[in-house]
Amino acid sequence: MSRRTVNLRNSYDLANLFHYNTKISPARMRILSRRTFRLKVNRKMIEGMKTYKLSPKESLIDKSFPLVLKERMTTRIYEIRTPILFDIVSTLLHFSYGVSRFQDNYNYRFIASAGGIYPIEIYLVAFNVRGIEKGIYIYDEISNSIKLVKVGDFRRQFHESVSGMNKYYVDNCAFIIVSTINISSTCEKYDNRGYRFINIDVGHLSQNLYLVSSALSLGVVAIGGFIDEQLEQLLNLHDVEDGVALFHCFGKKQQAPIDALKLKLEDYYEK
Ligand SMILES: Cc1cc2nc3c(=O)[nH]c(=O)nc-3n(C[C@H](O)[C@H](O)[C@H](O)COP(=O)(O)O)c2cc1C
């Protein structure tokens, strides 16, 4: 199969081109089947200013699995003033992307991941989480803890990185979880096709975040539209192979009509 090039006419031709050029031909399959690869994880070693050990609690989940699936949905109205308990955040992080089993000298996690590589790092951005200070934390699955990497309220930076209704979700949520990807990790094994897998992994993680939120009756919305560069700068992602794939806003579900919640940012920030 020859590599294909196209004149870019539609805004999605690059996607067509990428998909076409990452197809596996029979000849390529023969080459791939001879390759060997050792399971390894490219961990980002970030030292935090402070470490908080997670306190996941299975007892917080008392729903049946069919009910968790039925109640999985996107929440777009949050109670801005209601803090979320650290135990809830811990349970969410742990069961979404923590270590689920140690087998053959390897830490497997709660998501399926192409090659067991886990190319995603997650950052917790806390605005209103009871028990921890406002700031940006990186999740470390080995110690099952979060490490504080930046102190402060970064809601405005998220507000400015999105548009339209997404601004309301960012303005009213209690915390955000950002999924960042390292492109070279999975692509070292699967070449360019690995990029497909990385995004599938991001989807698995997103589904876990949604399902665990459903189990905890926590509101969640995935946000795919954001100005990449702004969030990359915020998270100090300077390498070309690192990027933000998706983020999720979380908070207590609000029952009131959406108009009741259209608080202005100025009302939220201290004058
Ligand atoms: C990759 C991805 C990106 C999304 N981006 C946004 C977004 O930017 N804004 C938004 O309001 N919802 C976003 N969503 C949520 C979808 O709109 C939502 O899942 C869909 O409408 C189905 O509704 P449900 O989740 O309630 O079943 C996104 C979902 C996914 C999976």
Side-chain angles (χ1 to χ4, degrees):
M1 193 170 58
S2 61
R3 296 279 168 210
R4 184 189 276 182
T5 56
V6 294
N7 293 327
L8 298 181
R9 283 185 303 269
N10 303 309
S11 56
Y12 50 85
D13 275 345
L14 202 54
N16 284 330
L17 195 60
F18 175 81
H19 193 80
Y20 182 84
N21 282 301
T22 53
K23 287 185 182 179
I24 298 178
S25 64
R28 178 129 185 88
M29 185 56 94
R30 280 192 289 279
I31 296 170
L32 291 175
S33 62
R34 287 195 293 272
R35 268 199 196 170
T36 55
F37 193 83
R38 205 167 45 83
L39 270 177
K40 71 176 172 71
V41 173
N42 286 339
R43 296 300 326 287
K44 192 165 241 178
M45 296 318 260
I46 293 182
E47 284 312 312
M49 290 175 263
K50 216 180 209 178
T51 298
Y52 292 87
K53 183 91 185 141
L54 296 189
S55 51
K57 302 243 172 352
E58 276 188 53
S59 57
L60 290 171
I61 300 172
D62 60 357
K63 284 185 192 173
S64 70
F65 192 55
L67 189 62
V68 167
L69 291 172
K70 279 187 208 161
E71 292 190 352
R72 186 220 59 81
M73 66 174 72
T74 296
T75 295
R76 293 196 166 81
I77 316 179
Y78 302 100
E79 287 187 12
I80 185 173
R81 291 182 188 85
T82 308
I84 302 296
L85 303 179
F86 185 62
D87 282 358
I88 297 271
V89 178
S90 296
T91 308
L92 175 68
L93 286 170
H94 173 71
F95 285 107
S96 296
Y97 201 42
V99 173
S100 58
R101 69 188 199 278
F102 185 70
Q103 190 186 321
D104 303 329
N105 228 9
Y106 198 73
N107 285 307
Y108 288 87
R109 303 176 74 165
F110 282 101
I111 66 162
S113 172
I117 293 167
Y118 310 108
I120 308 164
E121 295 287 346
I122 57 177
Y123 291 81
L124 168 74
V125 186
F127 308 123
N128 197 6
V129 177
R130 184 165 293 160
I132 60 171
E133 60 204 285
K134 291 178 186 184
I136 300 179
Y137 301 78
I138 189 162
Y139 175 51
D140 176 40
E141 83 285 3
I142 303 296
S143 58
N144 213 21
S145 60
I146 49 169
K147 295 175 179 175
L148 180 63
V149 291
K150 265 189 185 181
V151 184
D153 189 326
F154 299 99
R155 203 190 283 275
R156 191 176 291 281
Q157 283 83 341
F158 279 88
H159 178 92
E160 286 167 2
S161 77
V162 296
S163 65
M165 288 301 289
N166 284 348
K167 287 188 184 288
Y168 289 114
Y169 320 143
V170 165
D171 293 352
N172 291 287
C173 68
F175 65 95
I176 284 174
I177 292 178
V178 187
S179 301
T180 70
I181 54 171
N182 177 266
I183 293 171
S184 51
S185 56
T186 304
C187 291
E188 272 177 25
K189 177 171 184 182
Y190 297 107
D191 303 326
N192 287 314
R193 195 177 172 94
Y195 189 62
R196 295 189 190 186
F197 299 157
I198 290 172
N199 289 298
I200 292 169
D201 284 9
V202 170
H204 289 155
L205 175 58
S206 176
Q207 182 74 339
N208 268 15
L209 290 168
Y210 263 93
L211 291 179
V212 181
S213 295
S214 167
L216 294 166
S217 300
L218 187 66
V220 52
V221 56
I223 306 279
F226 48 82
I227 302 172
D228 296 64
E229 210 181 326
Q230 289 184 4
L231 296 188
E232 285 163 10
Q233 276 174 9
L234 183 66
L235 300 175
N236 297 330
L237 304 177
H238 302 305
D239 294 334
V240 71
E241 69 259 33
D242 288 329
V244 176
L246 193 64
F247 72 82
H248 296 71
C249 302
F250 300 85
K252 185 171 166 28
K253 294 177 189 176
Q254 162 74 265
Q255 309 299 336
I258 194 160
D259 285 340
L261 256 184
K262 284 188 176 168
L263 298 174
K264 294 196 188 77
L265 261 193
E266 292 78 336
D267 298 335
Y268 174 72
Y269 289 106
E270 287 168 8
K271 298 255 163 33

